[in-house]
Amino acid sequence: MSARLLTRRELLKTAGALLGAGAFRLLAPYAYAGTAGQPPLRVGLQAHRTGIGAVYGKWYERTARAAVRLINAQGGIAGRPVQLVVEDDGTDPRRGIEVVEKLALQHRVDFIFGTLFSNVVVACAPRAAELKIPYLVVSEGYHVPSGKLNRWTFQPGITDVRSQVTAVAPWIVKNLGRRIAMIFPDYAFGYDHRDFFGAAARRLGAELVALVPIPPTETSFTKYFPRIPRNVDVIYHVMVGPAVLTFVREMGEYFGRRRPQLFGFIDSLEGVDLGSPGLEFLEGTYFWEALPRYAGQYNTPWERRFREAVGVDANGASKTDPRDVSTYSHMFGVWETLFVVKEIVERSGYRTRTLRDYRAFVETLEATERFEEGLGHPQGPKRFVGQIHQAFGQQFISRVEGRRLRVVHRTRIEESLYPPEADYRQRPL
């Protein structure tokens, strides 16, 4: 494992570079002066640098560093510079617990954030609660709003699977068909898709005719496809891990031109170039996106500035390497989470790692009902339900046209809401 802090020298260098580029002119509405000599606010990024989540980990870290650069250029958080501490958990639950302990006890960070894979989140959240340190995840799993975790765990920067599938299910059933087969990862994240999309589709009169779980570490997929009847209207697919390109290629080879309609979560293609050989069959198929990969599909000044700050080109790849395709539909959650930390620290008056200050942070976040769209929230406005520690936002449905994704539908926040099943606020800190 390694850790790297942004030094004062780097902060000054970054600020100077932004001044030279005229960035402060863009940031002027948000800027406030930092106070010299203030101790840094330390935030710990639990990153999946290695393991099956590595492609996400790389881009989550890149996004976090970009957000910290920007926040420091604005004057930091409550006048204090931000120091980012990064530790690799290997996308492994046991190592994840060690990382939480290391960040809290050795690095003595003020907050831990950024964890993605749900099995890691579920393992680590109890330890964060024992250590009494806010744990702000970017995982999408229903484990946060379900009430299964604790008062110290929040998901304020990205929507959860239940809200996503609740919002897109009506469009799928209306436009693609009612006999549906599902392919999903064989762990908690996949079960959220199975359970909540299945329930939403059935309420709309659809029939789930096949459920095909696949281990996230699988490298060959053709053997699973015969379990899907040929007469289904729609295959709903979501897959994660380093073999996602193989997954979509083999799906195309198996079903060929007589394939049913395909609706996938972009997770099946995160980090993958749509122009890759073997993906021609995706033409005319549909994907869910949280934030559209291609420039111009959600054309707001905030999205453009986020894309520029992280260094992503118009095709969703690194500006320095067009072969390095980003995880654009998820990594904004890291950015937005850091801006939530900034907002809540400044509103709550948090200063130090005391229970009194943490209580103020937790209660202020729980009392927050909305995050407005802006530079801190480029994916769009969010409704935050403090009762279940979960953010709700808009979703996008895109169609593959000319080896690119074109947005054809955008849902409203209200379409993603569901009745809360828990109330973390009633639990002691």
Side-chain angles (χ1 to χ4, degrees):
M1 294 180 185
S2 64
R4 181 176 182 275
L5 308 181
L6 282 179
T7 65
R8 179 176 175 79
R9 183 184 181 87
E10 288 175 312
L11 299 181
L12 293 172
K13 184 178 179 182
T14 299
L18 287 167
L19 274 171
F24 276 120
R25 180 159 44 87
L26 297 175
L27 305 176
Y30 304 89
Y32 65 92
T35 303
Q38 291 292 310
L41 189 86
R42 297 161 69 87
V43 290
L45 173 62
Q46 183 179 353
H48 303 331
R49 276 178 173 166
T50 55
I52 62 172
V55 66
Y56 289 97
K58 177 177 68 177
W59 282 97
Y60 272 35
E61 183 173 344
R62 181 165 168 164
T63 302
R65 292 193 183 283
V68 168
R69 283 195 300 271
L70 181 57
I71 289 171
N72 281 326
Q74 292 179 322
I77 295 179
R80 300 165 62 184
V82 179
Q83 287 187 341
L84 183 68
V85 183
V86 184
E87 288 285 351
D88 175 24
D89 67 11
T91 328
D92 179 85
R94 284 182 295 183
R95 284 181 61 184
I97 295 171
E98 295 172 0
V99 163
V100 167
E101 292 173 344
K102 189 172 183 180
L103 289 170
L105 301 177
Q106 180 177 327
H107 295 299
R108 297 186 64 77
V109 300
D110 296 90
F111 306 97
I112 300 173
F113 79 106
T115 322
L116 168 61
F117 270 59
S118 58
N119 55 339
V120 182
V121 170
V122 170
C124 295
R127 187 62 181 132
E130 290 171 354
L131 294 167
K132 297 189 180 299
I133 185 169
Y135 188 56
L136 300 105
V137 302
V138 187
S139 74
E140 299 182 299
Y142 184 61
H143 36 268
V144 175
S146 70
K148 294 178 181 176
L149 299 181
N150 54 66
R151 202 169 176 192
W152 294 87
T153 305
F154 293 85
Q155 190 155 244
I158 198 166
T159 58
D160 69 286
V161 169
R162 182 175 180 180
S163 68
Q164 294 162 4
V165 302
T166 298
V168 302
W171 189 94
I172 295 172
V173 173
K174 178 181 178 181
N175 293 281
L176 303 183
R178 293 176 179 272
R179 286 177 55 78
I180 302 171
M182 296 185 69
I183 302 173
F184 53 89
D186 192 8
Y187 73 110
F189 172 70
Y191 304 155
D192 285 348
H193 280 272
R194 176 197 64 191
D195 296 343
F196 295 117
F197 177 77
R202 290 189 185 97
R203 285 196 297 271
L204 294 163
E207 179 184 7
L208 275 296
V209 298
L211 298 173
V212 184
I214 298 179
T217 54
E218 183 61 273
T219 57
S220 178
F221 304 90
T222 303
K223 60 189 174 190
Y224 296 98
F225 298 134
R227 296 167 57 182
I228 297 175
R230 283 286 181 172
N231 62 346
V232 298
D233 297 325
V234 189
I235 295 177
Y236 172 113
H237 62 92
V238 55
M239 193 52 56
V240 297
V244 289
L245 179 57
T246 303
F247 166 73
V248 286
R249 278 176 173 163
E250 292 185 1
M251 185 166 58
E253 291 168 358
Y254 182 84
F255 289 101
R257 293 184 178 180
R258 298 181 63 185
R259 62 168 172 77
Q261 295 276 10
L262 295 179
F263 184 94
F265 269 63
I266 198 64
D267 311 54
S268 297
L269 279 175
E270 281 285 60
V272 172
D273 184 354
L274 280 174
S276 301
L279 298 189
E280 297 83 359
F281 80 100
L282 287 174
E283 195 70 16
T285 71
Y286 297 88
F287 283 91
W288 162 89
E289 295 185 283
L291 185 58
R293 175 186 296 185
Y294 291 89
Q297 299 301 304
Y298 187 56
N299 195 15
T300 71
W302 317 119
E303 192 277 337
R304 292 196 297 272
R305 292 175 189 178
F306 166 73
R307 185 181 294 264
E308 178 67 24
V310 183
V312 174
D313 69 15
N315 295 320
S318 171
K319 282 189 170 183
T320 57
D321 182 2
R323 297 167 299 178
D324 188 5
V325 178
S326 72
T327 56
Y328 205 72
S329 202
H330 293 80
M331 64 198 202
F332 71 86
V334 173
W335 177 283
E336 295 204 10
T337 299
L338 279 170
F339 276 89
V340 168
V341 169
K342 172 180 167 62
E343 178 179 336
I344 302 303
V345 164
E346 292 174 352
R347 284 205 285 119
S348 69
Y350 173 89
R351 297 298 301 170
T352 61
R353 291 162 38 101
T354 61
L355 185 58
R356 183 191 63 182
D357 280 10
Y358 276 141
R359 179 186 294 278
F361 180 91
V362 167
E363 292 178 346
T364 300
L365 181 50
E366 287 176 338
T368 301
E369 296 181 349
R370 190 173 178 86
F371 299 111
E372 298 299 337
E373 184 168 18
L375 190 55
H377 297 279
Q379 192 267 350
K382 301 286 185 304
R383 180 180 294 184
F384 187 73
V385 180
Q387 183 177 347
I388 52 176
H389 289 192
Q390 180 60 53
F392 293 82
Q394 61 189 4
Q395 314 294 333
F396 298 85
I397 295 174
S398 301
R399 186 173 189 268
V400 180
E401 296 180 359
R403 311 298 288 272
R404 298 170 62 87
L405 288 160
R406 182 178 69 83
V407 173
V408 296
H409 183 67
R410 174 156 57 106
T411 70
R412 295 176 292 109
I413 294 176
E414 291 73 19
E415 295 174 275
S416 69
L417 297 173
Y418 52 77
E421 296 179 327
D423 189 350
Y424 287 120
R425 299 170 302 179
Q426 303 304 314
R427 302 183 188 183
L429 281 169

